[in-house]
């Protein structure tokens, strides 16, 4: 393969990364996520986590230079493996960008909220969970996935797990 046609590191699938690159991707995407959520300067966060801006750019592609400072982009194209509930089971998929990952994280937050809610708040949490029935998640290969919204099925999936605790949306070892 010619040198110029190489896929950038931040667009390489999880399976195509070395262990060191997986660790660095996890660390850099965490820093970018913090910058997006808090609005803190990415350069300060990079320094705090012992990273360089070049490392963040290489592993996430989610920063751009604006004059003398760096800015975080609204989203990135970093493939990441995530867990979803689909057709009565837990499924691990790889999504191609942060927009799809955000949808999955919000879905998991809705499930967590429903499972924890009691009394009148349970109905509101159920309505929020049901909103995800019409959302489709596109994986890195372009296949569309439907999210499970039946509360009985979700409870069953959670109870089937060894530890009856709600799972993280990212698979084991990602972070």
């Amino acid at each position: 393969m010619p040198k110029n046609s190489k896929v950038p590191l931040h667009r390489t699938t999880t399976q195509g990364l070395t262990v060191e690159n997986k660790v660095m991707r996890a660390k850099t995407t965490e820093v970018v996520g913090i910058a997006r959520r808090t609005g803190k300067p990415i350069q300060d966060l990079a320094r705090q986590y012992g990273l360089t801006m070049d490392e963040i750019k290489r592993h996430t592609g989610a920063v751009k230079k604006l004059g003398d400072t760096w800015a975080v982009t609204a989203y990135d194209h970093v493939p990441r493996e995530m867990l979803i509930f689909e057709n009565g089971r837990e499924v691990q998929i790889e999504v191609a960008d942060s927009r799809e990952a955000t949808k999955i994280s919000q879905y998991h937050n809705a499930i967590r909220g429903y499972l924890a809610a009691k009394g009148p708040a349970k109905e509101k949490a159920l309505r929020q969970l049901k909103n995800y029935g019409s959302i489709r998640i596109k994986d890195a290969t372009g296949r569309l996935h439907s999210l499970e919204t039946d509360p009985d099925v979700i409870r069953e999936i959670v109870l089937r797990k060894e530890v009856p605790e709600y799972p993280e949306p990212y698979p084991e070892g990602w972070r």
Side-chain angles (χ1 to χ4, degrees):
M1 179 183 282
K3 226 177 187 179
N4 293 343
S5 66
K6 251 184 156 178
V7 176
L9 188 59
H10 67 274
R11 291 213 181 189
T12 304
T13 63
T14 308
Q15 292 82 15
L17 295 175
T18 64
V19 174
E20 294 83 14
N21 283 334
K22 284 181 185 179
V23 169
M24 186 59 83
R25 177 177 283 180
K27 198 173 182 181
T28 56
T29 54
E30 181 178 351
V31 169
V32 168
I34 293 168
R36 283 186 182 131
R37 285 189 304 277
T38 64
K40 290 182 180 176
I42 187 71
Q43 290 168 290
D44 295 348
L45 289 169
R47 198 173 312 109
Q48 184 179 335
Y49 280 78
L51 299 168
T52 66
M53 291 309 298
D54 286 336
E55 287 172 326
I56 292 175
K57 184 173 176 87
R58 194 166 139 242
H59 287 276
T60 68
V63 292
K64 58 186 173 188
K65 188 91 173 182
L66 295 175
D68 291 340
T69 61
W70 289 86
V72 180
T73 59
Y75 60 91
D76 61 60
H77 295 285
V78 178
R80 52 195 35 93
E81 292 179 345
M82 297 189 77
L83 299 171
I84 62 169
F85 295 163
E86 180 180 37
N87 298 324
R89 58 194 174 94
E90 186 177 51
V91 179
Q92 183 173 313
I93 64 171
E94 185 167 51
V95 294
D97 62 44
S98 62
R99 292 174 291 190
E100 295 299 309
T102 297
K103 288 181 203 173
I104 293 171
S105 294
Q106 291 169 342
Y107 165 70
H108 282 282
N109 287 337
I111 291 173
R112 192 176 291 117
Y114 174 74
L115 294 175
K118 301 211 182 318
K122 194 89 166 169
E123 277 304 312
K124 181 179 178 188
L126 179 59
R127 281 193 308 275
Q128 288 176 336
L129 178 60
K130 290 288 186 181
N131 288 337
Y132 288 90
S134 62
I135 293 176
R136 302 290 176 255
I137 301 296
K138 187 187 247 185
D139 68 18
T141 64
R143 182 172 174 242
L144 292 175
H145 297 267
S146 300
L147 300 172
E148 185 65 65
T149 58
D150 183 326
D152 296 329
V153 175
I154 288 171
R155 258 191 247 88
E156 185 181 305
I157 294 168
V158 172
L159 289 174
R160 266 188 287 195
K161 298 186 70 58
E162 280 184 44
V163 180
E165 192 176 299
Y166 187 77
E168 285 294 316
Y170 290 97
E172 185 91 16
W174 170 251
R175 288 194 167 157

